[in-house]
Structure formats: structure tokens, C-alpha cells
Amino acid sequence: MQITQESSEHFKCLILGSGPAGYTAAIYAARADLNPVVYTGIVPGGQLTQTTDVDNFPGYPNGVQGTQMMEDLKQQAERFGTDVRFGYATKVDFSGPVHKVEIDKDKVVSADSIIIATGATAKYLGLSSEEKYMGFGVSACAVCDGFFYKGQDVAIVGGGDTAAEEATYLAKLCKTVHMLVRRDEFRASKAMVHRVLNTENIKIHYFTEAQEILGNEQGVNGVRVVNNQTKEETNLDITGFFVAIGHQPNTELFENILDMDDTGYLITKPNSTATNVPGVFASGDVQDNIYRQAITAAGTGCMAALEAERYLAAREDIS
Ligand code: NDP
């Protein structure tokens, strides 16, 4: 899509997104004198601001709150001169040597290099109780939060590879894992299903959907489920409720511009964060449907900044 409006500001390095990938890219780009500008996106700090304790990010021996960690990363990026601005990209034009981005449907900025770190959004069921107990028993990341439910009974929704993988992960920590699958079969690969079926403390409930998550001021203490065939309702006693029904990468903006796979994840060159457009790099969950961890996002953020730096150094037309 072409943007005809003149750009009001020009940057060497523009970073879209403010999760671990965006801020790590900013730290590296700022230290390399690329004077990066970060537009935070609609959720400054990204997915981690929607969780409570983060215990698996190296460097925090006592754990850290997700919001605090993102504030720390922001401050670290700002310490080296990153310009962090609230705003989100509403249109991009990568057709010329200088890339243009419309911000907030209002102004247009341009940049010699762009690092996309717009992340992915976990899909949720849409129950009001799910929102109510978010971070207090409801989670979309078993690897991040499973530890807090050691020895307890939990439920996980979904029948895909993510749900299967997370259920087996939880089964190692928890007493019982109730797996709620809405059909009579899994979507997950045969190998993953085999693992689930052979894990004793995973109890599979086929044709079953969560109706309401139950709890009190202490957090979640149950879930009301319904068999969608018999309509029979049951309450399961659980303290953790995990949603694993897929993620949506935030890539709508780049449709027909950047290469992406069938599910919308950006495709980068092997062992690189380079996209199909020179000078445009992708890092974090927007290009990763496998690991989806803060630390892997930070790692690819670092890679993107190093690659942007090399790209700019090789461009003779940019001083
Ligand atoms: P998927 O889209 O593959 O699966 C989503 C699952 O959630 C399906 O079982 C679906 O049910 C169920 N679901 C969707 N919406 C609802 C709802 N509202 N209520 C109840 N259940 C619902 O997502 P995944 O995140 O599992 O996987 C995404 C991609 O990543 C896949 O290609 C997968 O193979 C890949 N992946 C690979 C891994 C690996 O190789 N180790 C690990 C994790 C993911 P239904 O089937 O009825 O639609």
C-alpha cells in the first residue's frame, strides 16, 4: 500500500512494538548510535504486562512482576537514548528505499531500517470470568505460569499442539490436568496426542467446553464445564485455568507486503531476522510460533538490531 502523505520525521531505525523483542532491539540499536524510536503499540510493554510473576527470565533471582520487567526494559532502552513514544502503526509503505509508516492514522514517519516487534495476541474464550481472573488463576502460558500450580489441580482448554504440549508440561508439575477438548478428537499431531494419552494424570474431557470460571478474591477455585452433546454441566475443582486455543500474530498491517505463513506469522530468512523487504527485520513472537518466550523474543530483538546496524553500514547512500 502506498502512502502519499509526506513524512514529518525521519529515523535511522524505527521499532514497532514494546515487548521484550522491541525493547531489546532498542537497547542494542541505541548503543550502536542508531537513535532508535520505539512506537509502543496499543499495549505498551506487550503480553508480559498481562501476567503477574515472571520467574523464568534470567537475571531476576527472585522473579519479577511482568509490568515491572517491562518498565525495567523500557528504562534500560531510554538510558541509551531510545525515544519511546505511545502510538501504533496504522499503515506501512515499504515500496521505496525509505520505508514509510503511518502512526495513529495521523502522521507519517519514515525510516532507513525498521524492526517489527508487534508480537502476537493469545486467543481467549471471551468469558467475562476469564478476564476477571486474568493473572489470578487464568493464564495463556503454561510454561510461564505452570510453576505456581505445583501439586494442584488445573484445567487447560484446547486440542492443538500447543494445548497438548502445555498439558504434558503441566502434568509434570500438577496433580491433575483436566484437558477440555471441544470435539471428540484433537487437532494436534499424532505424536503429541500419543504423549497426552499416555500421561496418567491428564484427564481428557471430550465434547467439553468451559462455561464459567469460578473463584473468589483469592483467585480461581473451579470451572463450570458443559458437555456440548449431552448438555450436562459439571463443576471441576481447579486453581489454575490455562487457555491454549492458539495465538494471532499481529501482522494484519503487513498483509501482501511481507511474506507470512498460512497462519500469519512473518517469515524471516534462515538464521536471520531479515524479511523479504531489505531493511525490514522481524523479531519476537510476530515471527515465532514455536517458542514464544520472553527470552527468545529478546534474543531475536538483539539479532534484529545487529542486522539493522549491518544493513545501514552497508548502504552507501545513507550517511
Ligand atoms: P491450533 O489452531 O492448531 O489449535 C487450536 C485448538 O484450540 C484446536 O484444538 C481448537 O479446536 C481449539 N479451540 C479453538 N477455539 C476454541 C474455543 N473457542 N473453545 C475451545 N477450543 C477451541 O493452535 P495451536 O496454538 O495449538 O498451534 C498453532 C500452530 O503451532 C499449529 O500449526 C501447531 O502445529 C504449531 N505448534 C507446533 C508445536 C510443535 O511442533 N512442538 C507446538 C505448538 C504449536 P478445533 O480443533 O475444534 O478447532
Side-chain angles (χ1 to χ4, degrees), residues 3-309:
I3 296 178
T4 48
Q5 193 180 331
E6 282 299 304
S7 145
S8 59
E9 279 181 285
H10 182 77
F11 316 121
K12 268 191 208 169
C13 180
L14 171 62
I15 299 169
L16 303 177
S18 56
Y23 281 141
T24 305
I27 292 165
Y28 275 77
R31 286 169 57 85
D33 285 340
L34 302 187
N35 307 320
V37 172
V38 171
Y39 276 99
T40 58
I42 295 171
V43 184
Q47 290 182 77
L48 276 184
T49 59
Q50 281 154 21
T51 185
T52 48
D53 303 277
V54 178
D55 269 351
N56 57 5
F57 199 90
Y60 289 103
N62 300 314
V64 61
Q65 292 287 299
T67 44
Q68 183 60 49
M69 186 178 129
M70 295 322 299
E71 184 54 32
D72 290 347
L73 277 170
K74 175 172 177 272
Q75 284 181 18
Q76 193 175 354
E78 285 176 332
R79 187 176 137 219
F80 299 108
T82 304
D83 181 351
V84 179
R85 304 174 179 185
F86 179 74
Y88 68 106
T90 41
K91 210 187 269 181
V92 298
D93 178 354
F94 296 159
S95 58
V98 169
H99 304 305
K100 282 182 167 183
V101 177
E102 181 192 75
I103 303 292
D104 297 335
K105 295 194 173 154
D106 177 24
K107 67 173 188 171
V108 172
V109 298
S110 59
D112 298 317
S113 68
I114 301 218
I115 296 174
I116 297 169
T118 48
T121 307
K123 292 183 193 161
Y124 286 94
L125 300 171
L127 305 171
S128 57
S129 49
E130 192 180 41
E131 208 173 311
K132 184 172 168 191
Y133 294 113
M134 188 70 64
F136 298 93
V138 172
S139 163
C141 181
V143 177
C144 318
D145 299 326
F147 181 81
F148 304 114
Y149 303 93
K150 238 178 177 172
Q152 300 174 37
D153 294 335
V154 299
I156 184 163
V157 186
D161 278 324
T162 303
E165 198 167 82
E166 297 203 342
T168 49
Y169 178 85
L170 288 169
K172 291 192 195 112
L173 300 166
C174 304
K175 197 160 95 197
T176 310
V177 179
H178 295 280
M179 198 166 182
L180 313 181
V181 181
R182 67 178 171 182
R183 293 185 289 137
D184 63 340
E185 60 176 355
F186 284 82
R187 183 183 289 272
S189 58
K190 281 207 171 69
M192 292 301 296
V193 175
H194 185 75
R195 273 175 67 188
V196 167
L197 296 177
N198 284 290
T199 306
E200 227 167 73
N201 59 338
I202 299 179
K203 188 166 186 292
I204 303 163
H205 303 257
Y206 290 108
F207 287 128
T208 300
E209 293 176 42
Q211 244 184 2
E212 212 59 71
I213 298 152
L214 313 169
N216 55 28
E217 55 289 341
Q218 248 91 69
V220 169
N221 60 22
V223 58
R224 188 169 70 243
V225 299
V226 61
N227 181 303
N228 58 29
Q229 304 293 297
T230 63
K231 308 295 175 212
E232 190 191 340
E233 292 180 10
T234 322
N235 282 359
L236 300 173
D237 292 333
I238 50 145
T239 48
F241 183 83
F242 292 87
V243 187
I245 60 171
H247 283 75
Q248 191 58 48
N250 301 318
T251 55
E252 249 176 60
L253 210 54
F254 312 111
E255 268 169 28
N256 303 318
I257 298 173
L258 296 180
D259 290 345
M260 47 183 86
D261 69 14
D262 296 346
T263 49
Y265 284 90
L266 295 184
I267 296 173
T268 53
K269 306 223 160 98
N271 301 320
S272 162
T273 60
T275 67
N276 55 305
V277 174
V280 178
F281 304 88
S283 61
D285 286 12
V286 76
Q287 52 83 59
D288 171 18
N289 72 350
I290 299 172
Y291 302 105
R292 294 194 286 245
Q293 298 301 301
I295 187 66
T296 48
T300 54
C302 158
M303 285 168 66
L306 294 177
E307 288 183 277
E309 188 189 351

